[in-house]
Amino acid sequence: MNLFHPKLIDSFKGYNSALFSKDVLAGITVGVVALPLAMAFAIASGLKPEAGIFTAIIAGGLISVLGGSRVQIGGPAGAFIVIVYGIVDHYGVANLLLATAMSGAFLLLMGLFRLGTLIRFIPVAVIIGFTNGIAVLIGLSQVKEFFGLQITKMPAEFFQAVHTLYAAADSVNPIALMLSIGSLILLITWRAFQKHLSYIGHLPGTVIAMAAATVLTSALSLPVDTIGSRFGGIPSGLPSFAWIPISWGTAQFVIAPAITLALLGAIESLLCARIADGLIHDRHNSNQELMAQGAANLVAPFFGGMPATGTIARTVTNIQSGGRSPIAGIVHSATLLVIILFGAPLAKNIPLASLAAILMFVAWNMGEWKKFADLKQFRLPYRITMLSVFFLTIILDLTVAIQVGLLLAFITFIYRISSLSRHEPASTVDFPELQQHQGRISAFRIYGAIFFGAVKLLESIENELPSKTLILDLKNVIYMDVSGMDAILSLEEVCKARGIQLIICGLAHQPQEMALRGGLFERLPTTNIYPDLQSGIAAVISQSH
């Protein structure tokens, strides 16, 4: 039970009809919000609109039932668009289903092996860089539908996509463009004045914009692409279970994209859960959440679904609407199911231009553009990391961007920690007895961490060796790794070869454990180990007399 314990189980404690009513209303609201987003994300990913809806129903329901957060709403997310579109473009839909299932297995294993807390160690600069980069790519992917350009197929690569859009710039559909701009203006205006609309202010702007554009397109028979003209509408029911067709020739190539999907899904869902925790003053179980995300992504592809994760916009909407338990997320999935069972024919006339406007609005709001405006206040390594990830996400690939970002953050971290590590001679003011033995007895205090990035500390001490006794005070050493321990052992060998006595003082906690494991106590007699520098110096001085 400690390994697998969904929040749903705890939610029934003290649960009553009032809470149930709030959860039901919140779930219905979120279900309505999720409808246009689910379709838009699927279409932008190169899939049919029902793939997004099926994902929101099946994966969203499983995430709520099995998740480690009370209020998290799962489903297709904008962050996946770029990766999913690339997989579909290069390997086809069948291999996307396989990659999604593989990512689910990876997420499940991450949760089982308690790796949820490690995701939090990804630097903010990396997260902001790829989030803003994805937002730009989402906006770029919607230029075609926003302007109604006549393009048969959009390439996945950035420069090719820009070239394709430029080549088709003379095929703008003025009606589609006006519909897109109108939808965008409505979305912006609705958000600005939503609080002042007493009766209809609770309705989401995305639904209002989609509904208004659909009514206008139907009433005036506007010559624009719609879900009906492009995809033939959406089916009025859930798909049946079907085994994923696997092409073993290309399956090996989707392992890397599957890992990217898993990492991105884990980051998005846990970031979303942390934001939700702050809003409802609760604490989620990160490992349980990863297992729920894994189960959802493992199951959804067998019903034609796409990758799913925790979604910030829908989760915040759920909380603001009064949702306080996973029941709201379950109702959200049930609401979508009812909509497609009874309202699927109405989706035929939804114009793709309106959905493009909605996605551009989502992309703008998901980006943290203020961080770019405030770049000057950050240190140079932070700026380099953020901008590198941002441009690599746009120009090359999200996988490469994250790898480079983590590498840069890793190098920066090593440099920072190594610069904090230092050594200094013991003060003759504190230990006047050392004054009489200069050149024969030297004592050094070491501060910080002795690890592979800071072993030069011990190398510099090696250049200042006395003729008789070297005393090292490790009281202020907070961490030591294997490389650090090897450096101390090497220093011990040098001292031994030169007939110098090595005294170690102040070993405690992790450094003491590392010294024990590294065999330092086997090399040095107990008379060379002291609890503090004072007793070590006193012992050495008494021996010299």
Side-chain angles (χ1 to χ4, degrees), residues 501-519:
Q501 182 184 29
L502 177 63
I503 303 295
I504 301 293
C505 305
L507 270 176
H509 306 300
Q510 192 273 344
Q512 184 177 25
E513 179 187 347
M514 184 57 67
L516 182 64
R517 288 165 51 191

Side-chain angles (χ1 to χ4, degrees), residues 299-314:
V299 172
F302 291 95
F303 294 90
M306 60 188 290
T309 186
T311 55
I312 295 175
R314 275 159 275 176

Side-chain angles (χ1 to χ4, degrees), residues 200-407:
I200 58 174
H202 65 282
L203 295 175
T206 51
V207 175
I208 298 298
M210 184 186 71
T214 303
V215 170
L216 198 61
T217 301
S218 303
L220 302 179
S221 299
L222 297 179
V224 296
D225 285 339
T226 64
I227 286 180
S229 65
R230 182 76 62 83
F231 304 102
I234 59 175
S236 55
L238 284 174
S240 57
F241 178 91
W243 290 106
I244 298 174
I246 299 175
S247 171
W248 296 109
T250 56
Q252 57 183 321
F253 299 111
V254 299
I255 294 177
I259 294 174
T260 304
L261 288 173
L263 287 175
L264 186 57
I267 294 168
E268 285 281 313
S269 62
L270 296 185
L271 278 177
C272 179
R274 288 177 65 184
I275 292 171
D277 286 351
L279 294 174
I280 66 172
H281 307 293
D282 190 33
R283 181 171 294 179
H284 72 280
N285 183 332
S286 57
N287 295 307
Q288 181 63 43
E289 187 62 32
L290 288 183
M291 286 189 280
Q293 300 287 340
N297 282 282
L298 195 56
V299 172
F302 291 95
F303 294 90
M306 60 188 290
T309 186
T311 55
I312 295 175
R314 275 159 275 176
T315 298
V316 172
T317 301
N318 179 38
I319 295 169
Q320 292 175 342
S321 302
R324 288 298 180 270
S325 82
I327 299 296
I330 297 171
V331 173
H332 136 267
S333 297
T335 301
L336 285 170
L337 178 59
V338 171
I339 289 174
I340 67 165
L341 288 177
F342 300 101
L346 300 176
K348 282 186 181 180
N349 296 320
I350 296 175
L352 299 182
S354 177
L355 292 180
I358 289 172
L359 272 184
M360 283 194 167
F361 185 71
V362 169
W364 174 258
N365 285 285
M366 76 179 282
E368 297 191 47
W369 312 111
K370 189 179 178 182
K371 298 292 185 182
F372 282 175
D374 298 336
L375 270 179
K376 289 184 179 179
Q377 71 182 25
F378 299 113
R379 291 178 178 271
L380 183 62
Y382 184 95
R383 282 182 264 170
I384 292 174
T385 301
M386 183 191 295
L387 293 176
S388 297
V389 174
F390 174 71
F391 286 113
L392 287 173
T393 298
I394 295 173
I395 297 172
L396 289 181
D397 179 71
L398 181 62
T399 306
V400 175
I402 292 178
Q403 290 172 349
V404 171
L406 289 176
L407 178 61

Side-chain angles (χ1 to χ4, degrees), residues 89-167:
D89 184 61
H90 288 97
Y91 307 112
V93 176
N95 283 292
L96 168 67
L97 299 178
L98 176 61
T100 304
M102 290 169 64
S103 73
F106 292 144
L107 283 165
L108 198 58
L109 290 173
M110 288 166 67
L112 288 172
F113 285 104
R114 326 303 288 172
L115 300 180
T117 53
L118 296 181
I119 301 298
R120 298 182 181 180
F121 296 153
I122 295 178
V124 174
V126 175
I127 294 174
I128 293 173
F130 79 67
T131 300
N132 287 10
I134 289 170
V136 170
L137 289 175
I138 291 173
L140 181 68
S141 71
Q142 295 310 298
V143 171
K144 170 181 176 287
E145 304 297 350
F146 193 91
F147 289 89
L149 301 177
Q150 299 301 310
I151 298 174
T152 305
K153 183 175 177 59
M154 279 289 293
E157 290 76 16
F158 173 75
F159 290 111
Q160 292 181 20
V162 172
H163 179 266
T164 302
L165 291 171
Y166 179 78

